[in-house]
Amino acid sequence: MATMLQLSPFLHQCSSLSAFPHSSLSSPSISLSSSSYSRLSVKLRVYACIQTSPSPMNVVNGNADFSAIERAEIRFGLPSKGRMASDTLDLLKDCQLSVKQANPRQYVAQIPQLSNLEVWFQRPKDIVRKLLSGDLDLGIVGFDTLSEYGKGSEDLIIVHNALEYGECHLSLAIPKYGIFENINSVKELAEMPQWTADKPLRVATGFTYLGPKFMKDNGLEHVAFSTADGALEAAPAMGIADAILDLVSSGTTLKENNLKEIEGGIVLQSQAVLVASRKSLIHRKGVLDTTHEILERFEAHLRAVDQFTVTANMRGSSAEEVAGRILSQSSLSGLQGPTISPVFCKRDGRVSADYFAIVICVPKKDLYKSVKQLRAIGGSGVLISPLTYIFDEETPRWSELLANLGL
């Protein structure tokens, strides 16, 4: 039995109802079946939202554009699953920006040190899409994901391009056997006479933007792309593709499936990057300042990774004489140079400075070499401590960002 809904009061209040060309709610009463009631109730809530919205809302092709609605909070998109997600949380924790999540099943979290900021856990490709749509202001994704789904958009600005995890590269790989046995470069692949309009080179890939662009840029005209579920490495052996275009880390999986990378076949090198929406940086309150703090923390920590503070005592006649000995060794120069200060001792009732304390920063890879050089020129009591942060007067990446924004 149909249910009668009296809509006249609502229709009188909702002057924007005509904005919906597909709406048939123009009569004062409508007879609806019970199965249609829930659908109508959803529409009524949407119409009411339009009527009471504090900001104007455009309707394009029947879809509401919410970009004009201002929100107060800053939104930071982080990967929701996998190694990229855990490495991102580790980086933030190392920078004293621990993410606090009330419930591990929730997609929204907080970083207490950054006021007015919400963390949103999303799939990496959705982070890029929501940066473009204005639903996120900042995000961390792999450069490959940013390049594939950002498609060169000028609204996406890379704030930090080397967060030093998630390293891999996007590469073209072909079989080691058959017609490809003696093919070792993209140029040779493009010159193979087999590829025609009727029989193109078949490439399996998940990169449907970067793949065709790369092939076109490298003179491969007759190419057909397909996507495959599961591991792409199996596609050539199954006969459903001639080559694959996929992410490579160590290359072990390719070798185990009798595939090889070829000269000129690397599309891009990738690692985790910090990216922001240009519109948000310029127009949304607080985003630029928050970005500055995140960038400074990242830069200070990443610069300190694999650096050690080396402290030692050295006998000498003056600070200048000790500095000359230290600077004569190539691995003892430190960041700008050694810090040297007198060590005061009391002997025979007199205070004298026969030793000087020196402090330098040394990369981990040069640590033992530096200690040997230091001892060779008279250093003793050598102490070594890992560094947590190295703050510059101002990070060059911040200056580059401001220049990019025209600020």
Side-chain angles (χ1 to χ4, degrees):
M1 181 177 179
T3 302
M4 294 293 294
L5 295 179
Q6 299 297 325
L7 302 182
S8 295
F10 175 79
L11 292 171
H12 284 303
Q13 296 172 11
C14 189
S15 59
S16 59
L17 191 60
S18 60
F20 290 81
H22 301 297
S23 173
S24 58
L25 302 180
S26 56
S27 60
S29 65
I30 293 179
S31 178
L32 294 172
S33 65
S34 59
S35 63
S36 303
Y37 181 80
S38 62
R39 186 166 62 251
L40 177 61
S41 65
V42 173
K43 288 187 177 180
L44 293 182
R45 285 196 291 271
V46 174
Y47 298 156
C49 175
I50 294 173
Q51 179 66 25
T52 60
S53 174
S55 303
M57 193 182 307
N58 299 322
V59 177
V60 181
N61 297 325
N63 297 317
D65 178 11
F66 290 85
S67 61
I69 298 178
E70 189 66 28
R71 54 177 164 80
E73 72 280 356
I74 300 166
R75 292 180 179 173
F76 189 12
L78 301 184
S80 57
K81 294 180 181 179
R83 181 66 180 271
M84 181 72 79
S86 59
D87 286 349
T88 298
L89 294 178
D90 287 344
L91 171 64
L92 289 166
K93 185 177 180 181
D94 289 341
C95 296
Q96 305 299 311
L97 294 174
S98 295
V99 176
K100 301 299 181 184
Q101 199 172 5
N103 186 324
R105 293 180 178 273
Q106 289 180 339
Y107 289 99
V108 185
Q110 308 291 328
I111 297 179
Q113 294 83 1
L114 299 175
S115 62
N116 201 34
L117 181 136
E118 290 181 348
V119 170
W120 284 77
F121 291 103
Q122 301 283 299
R123 295 183 302 175
K125 64 182 179 181
D126 289 334
I127 291 176
V128 178
R129 288 167 174 164
K130 289 176 182 178
L131 283 167
L132 287 169
S133 68
D135 295 311
L136 292 175
D137 305 305
L138 297 162
I140 292 179
V141 294
F143 180 64
D144 59 292
T145 303
L146 176 65
S147 302
E148 172 68 15
Y149 295 96
K151 299 181 180 179
S153 172
E154 293 184 356
D155 191 50
L156 298 176
I157 295 182
I158 297 178
V159 180
H160 198 300
N161 64 343
L163 297 182
E164 298 186 9
Y165 63 92
E167 290 93 344
C168 60
H169 60 273
L170 180 60
S171 182
L172 180 67
I174 61 176
K176 297 178 179 178
Y177 49 84
I179 61 173
F180 300 104
E181 184 175 1
N182 297 317
I183 302 300
N184 296 301
S185 69
V186 171
K187 184 177 184 233
E188 292 174 352
L189 183 66
E191 292 173 349
M192 292 178 69
Q194 285 91 337
W195 319 128
T196 65
D198 294 330
K199 189 180 178 182
L201 174 70
R202 299 169 302 159
V203 179
T205 186
F207 291 84
T208 56
Y209 170 74
L210 292 174
K213 185 176 183 299
F214 175 79
M215 294 299 187
K216 182 179 179 182
D217 292 345
N218 284 274
L220 282 150
E221 298 179 3
H222 304 301
V223 183
F225 290 89
S226 64
T227 57
D229 294 330
L232 293 181
E233 289 84 0
M238 295 178 67
I240 60 177
D242 301 305
I244 68 169
L245 187 73
D246 201 9
L247 294 175
V248 179
S249 295
S250 64
T252 301
T253 305
L254 291 180
K255 293 176 182 177
E256 290 177 347
N257 286 275
N258 289 317
L259 299 175
K260 62 182 178 182
E261 295 182 82
I262 55 178
E263 181 183 346
I266 295 180
V267 179
L268 55 77
Q269 299 284 349
S270 181
Q271 62 177 295
V273 298
L274 173 64
V275 62
S277 159
R278 180 186 297 272
K279 293 187 183 71
S280 292
L281 289 171
I282 295 175
H283 300 297
R284 194 176 293 284
K285 182 180 178 181
V287 174
L288 191 60
D289 289 339
T290 298
T291 302
H292 189 197
E293 180 171 348
I294 294 173
L295 178 61
E296 282 205 316
R297 287 174 180 260
F298 282 4
E299 284 277 67
H301 171 67
L302 292 171
R303 192 174 181 197
V305 169
D306 292 334
Q307 292 276 347
F308 288 84
T309 299
V310 177
T311 305
N313 289 335
M314 187 175 294
R315 190 183 291 273
S317 59
S318 68
E320 289 77 8
E321 186 265 330
V322 171
R325 273 189 280 160
I326 294 171
L327 292 174
S328 68
Q329 306 298 314
S330 58
S331 65
L332 301 180
S333 59
L335 295 177
Q336 281 86 30
T339 299
I340 302 173
S341 55
V343 177
F344 293 97
C345 301
K346 190 173 183 179
R347 290 197 180 103
D348 300 328
R350 293 189 311 113
V351 175
S352 61
D354 298 327
Y355 284 87
F356 290 85
I358 64 104
V359 180
I360 56 174
C361 289
V362 175
K364 182 178 180 179
K365 61 184 177 64
D366 296 330
L367 183 59
Y368 186 63
K369 174 184 175 182
S370 299
V371 171
K372 285 179 65 178
Q373 289 184 349
L374 191 57
R375 292 164 68 189
I377 59 174
S380 62
V382 181
L383 304 177
I384 299 170
S385 303
L387 281 169
T388 306
Y389 303 103
I390 299 176
F391 284 95
D392 279 326
E393 184 176 352
E394 185 60 86
T395 167
R397 283 188 171 92
W398 175 246
S399 302
E400 292 170 6
L401 177 61
L402 294 181
N404 194 331
L405 295 172
L407 299 177

